[in-house]
């Protein structure tokens, strides 16, 4: 399991790709995602041991300082975070469904991590800025009370940064919904 995850955001694609290369050369990290996001920015998400992630993120920031927007590092992420980012979570029973949306990637990662650590829920998906004009969302499932507690915690986390957009909890989602969201 990875011990840390970092997201760095750049103003241009060329700076983002250059920074991603510098991060990989600076420390033993893996790229979780490196891609353009709306509106024309570039994000690099890396994972690995905390010291390696911090060193790699700093290398990317230093090399591309003029184009660097920001970096956020999260230590000890919840184990379900990576499967939700990769879209590999297997959901057999969609109980209550929680959905939360933020204006950015960094606040979503923290909100999702806090949600998963708050209650007995399963992260289904984390959509990080791609195809959403820079916004991000999470979906999770579990018993109604657990989902409500997790969404409330995630909402509070994102709101503290001014990045909360919207959320909902559906107590008994229609069984056909599972096929459209997973």
């Amino acid at each position: 399991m990875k011990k840390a995850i970092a997201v760095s955001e750049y103003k241009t694609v060329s700076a983002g790709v250059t920074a991603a290369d510098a991060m990989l050369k600076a420390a033993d990290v893996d790229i979780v995602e490196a891609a353009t996001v709306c509106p024309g920015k570039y994000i690099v998400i890396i994972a690995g041991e905390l010291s390696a992630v911090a060193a790699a993120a700093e290398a990317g920031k230093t090399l591309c300082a003029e184009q660097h927007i920001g970096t956020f590092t999260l230590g000890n992420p919840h184990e379900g975070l990576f499967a939700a980012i990769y879209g590999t979570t297997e959901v057999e029973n969609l109980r209550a469904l929680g959905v939360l949306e933020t204006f950015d990637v960094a606040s979503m990662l923290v909100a999702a991590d806090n949600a998963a650590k708050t209650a007995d829920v399963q992260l289904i998906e984390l959509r990080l800025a791609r195809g959403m004009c820079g916004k991000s969302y999470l979906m999770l499932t579990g018993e109604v009370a657990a989902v409500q507690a997790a969404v409330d915690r995630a909402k509070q986390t994102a709101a503290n940064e001014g990045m909360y957009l919207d959320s909902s909890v559906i107590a008994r989602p229609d069984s056909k919904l599972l096929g459209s969201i997973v």
Side-chain angles (χ1 to χ4, degrees):
M1 183 172 113
K2 303 297 182 189
K3 303 286 191 237
I5 187 169
V7 59
S8 292
E9 189 172 13
Y10 297 88
K11 295 176 190 173
T12 66
V13 173
S14 61
V17 173
T18 301
D21 181 64
M23 290 177 194
L24 291 169
K25 289 175 179 172
D28 183 20
V29 296
D30 296 315
I31 289 186
V32 174
E33 186 170 351
T36 56
V37 295
C38 299
K41 297 185 281 184
Y42 198 86
I43 61 167
V44 180
I45 303 173
I46 57 172
E49 295 297 323
L50 181 57
S51 59
V53 167
E58 185 61 31
K61 176 181 174 181
T62 301
L63 182 63
C64 299
E66 288 185 26
Q67 300 300 328
H68 182 258
I69 295 170
T71 295
F72 175 78
T73 302
L74 177 66
N76 195 29
H78 186 273
E79 60 201 31
L81 203 62
F82 293 99
I85 292 170
Y86 291 131
T88 59
T89 303
E90 292 186 26
V91 179
E92 294 180 17
N93 181 18
L94 186 62
R95 296 166 286 174
L97 177 66
V99 183
L100 184 118
E101 192 171 346
T102 66
F103 286 108
D104 73 333
V105 174
S107 66
M108 177 51 70
L109 285 171
V110 177
D113 186 59
N114 284 339
K117 290 176 177 174
T118 295
D120 184 18
V121 294
Q122 180 183 18
L123 295 173
I124 298 171
E125 180 180 10
L126 275 175
R127 177 72 55 94
L128 301 173
R130 295 184 78 185
M132 296 188 51
C133 294
K135 298 185 302 181
S136 298
Y137 72 82
L138 74 83
M139 290 190 186
L140 53 87
T141 189
E143 297 302 322
V144 176
V147 168
Q148 188 65 60
V151 168
D152 287 347
R153 179 68 177 120
K155 178 179 176 179
Q156 178 186 26
T157 301
N160 287 343
E161 298 297 318
M163 292 293 152
Y164 171 76
L165 181 59
D166 197 14
S167 61
S168 61
V169 174
I170 303 169
R172 291 176 306 282
D174 190 282
S175 61
K176 296 177 206 167
L177 188 60
L178 178 61
S180 71
I181 63 172
V182 176

